Amino acid sequence: MKKLLQLLFLLAPILIWPQSNFEKAEKLFHAKKYDEAKILFEGILKTRSSDIKTLEYLGEIAACQKSWMKGAEYFKKLKELKPAEADYFYKFGGCLAMRANEVNKIKAFGMVDDMREAFEKAISLNQKHIPARWALIEIYLQLPGILGGSESKATSYSNELTKISPVDGYLSKGRIEEYFKRYDSAEKNYKKAHEIGNSKVTFQKLYNLYLNKLKEPKKAQELKRKFDSK
């Protein structure tokens, strides 16, 4: 028993150190000191290579620093470790999508299948996953038809959003109409979204449409006046 206690005493600093560093790293992360937090989290990962929370923080840091492929690596490992967690698939697909915006079209098209598969998996794991449906709407809007782009598929996901969240449903319908330059129809949908949500997001969508697409600054200013008064 004495030897066991001595061993535990010797090991105590080793056992406490990773936890102490984890707490420090968490505080640094929440203070947005990402470079400092990353050093500590990476140190923890050397001894605990499959620690879920450490991997998640490192994935978030990579995304905050726009290191999209590094973020994708962390979230890929997370979805392998926790295959029932919808958000890890969504975040993996999201990192790929952001990277696709930075590379040439040929490289971007090569990433589409992995993105689409990740978002679809997120929905299959969480039937009410709103961001994954938004991501798929954007994919089907922006892909050329020959590579799978489809207004009808985008509309299908928009219809699903309507059942989960009416505000997101109307916003997504407005987004589709705006994308195809059907601005009057986009206005109707954004107005319905704003009537229900009356949020900064719904205001901004309608305001930008008036100002930049419909070229109706008076409507934009009147909308802003009403929103600011609330």
Side-chain angles (χ1 to χ4, degrees):
M1 178 62 73
K2 187 177 179 181
K3 287 184 178 180
L4 178 60
L5 289 172
Q6 287 175 336
L7 179 62
L8 288 173
F9 179 77
L10 290 170
L11 285 174
I14 299 171
L15 295 171
I16 293 168
W17 179 82
Q19 183 59 33
S20 175
N21 269 14
F22 183 85
E23 290 170 356
K24 288 178 185 175
E26 268 193 320
K27 288 178 181 177
L28 288 166
F29 174 85
H30 292 303
K32 297 184 179 180
K33 296 180 179 179
Y34 299 128
D35 287 329
E36 296 173 57
K38 182 169 70 171
I39 291 169
L40 291 177
F41 281 130
E42 286 175 342
I44 294 167
L45 207 62
K46 288 177 182 177
T47 56
R48 294 187 287 175
S49 61
S50 296
D51 186 76
I52 298 296
K53 289 303 295 181
T54 301
L55 287 165
E56 189 169 0
Y57 274 121
L58 284 168
E60 296 290 350
I61 289 170
C64 288
Q65 296 182 328
K66 298 183 180 180
S67 299
W68 305 118
M69 294 313 294
K70 191 65 179 176
E73 287 177 24
Y74 287 122
F75 289 117
K76 182 180 181 181
K77 186 165 185 178
L78 282 164
K79 68 188 183 70
E80 290 167 354
L81 290 168
K82 299 277 283 185
E85 181 56 58
D87 276 347
Y88 295 150
F89 287 87
Y90 168 71
K91 289 177 180 180
F92 170 72
C95 284
L96 293 184
M98 295 304 293
R99 178 58 178 161
N101 285 329
E102 297 177 343
V103 299
N104 62 57
K105 287 185 178 181
I106 294 173
K107 286 185 179 178
F109 292 150
M111 301 165 73
V112 167
D113 286 343
D114 286 339
M115 290 157 46
R116 184 161 41 197
E117 183 180 318
F119 295 137
E120 288 173 351
K121 182 65 174 178
I123 291 170
S124 73
L125 291 169
N126 178 358
Q127 294 297 313
K128 294 185 178 180
H129 206 290
I130 290 173
R133 286 179 170 84
W134 268 106
L136 285 164
I137 287 169
E138 286 300 321
I139 286 175
Y140 285 117
L141 285 181
Q142 296 187 38
L143 267 184
I146 195 171
L147 293 173
S150 167
E151 182 182 353
S152 64
K153 287 182 180 178
T155 300
S156 176
Y157 282 110
S158 176
N159 291 338
E160 289 181 17
L161 279 177
T162 302
K163 295 175 184 177
I164 301 167
S165 164
V167 171
D168 283 280
Y170 283 121
L171 282 175
S172 60
K173 283 176 173 41
R175 167 64 182 143
I176 293 167
E177 296 301 315
E178 183 179 358
Y179 183 84
F180 290 106
K181 300 182 180 180
R182 299 189 290 257
Y183 298 136
D184 288 340
S185 183
E187 178 190 7
K188 291 175 185 177
N189 282 287
Y190 284 153
K191 284 177 75 173
K192 287 178 181 177
H194 191 51
E195 286 167 9
I196 299 169
N198 194 31
S199 67
K200 187 175 181 179
V201 172
T202 58
F203 158 76
Q204 202 67 55
K205 289 291 183 182
L206 188 54
Y207 179 82
N208 288 343
L209 185 77
Y210 284 144
L211 202 62
N212 302 318
K213 301 298 172 63
L214 288 169
K215 306 298 181 185
E216 295 190 44
K218 287 185 179 179
K219 278 190 176 182
Q221 291 307 313
E222 179 61 16
L223 177 71
K224 187 175 188 304
R225 185 190 66 76
K226 288 181 179 178
F227 186 70
D228 288 346
S229 68
K230 293 178 181 180

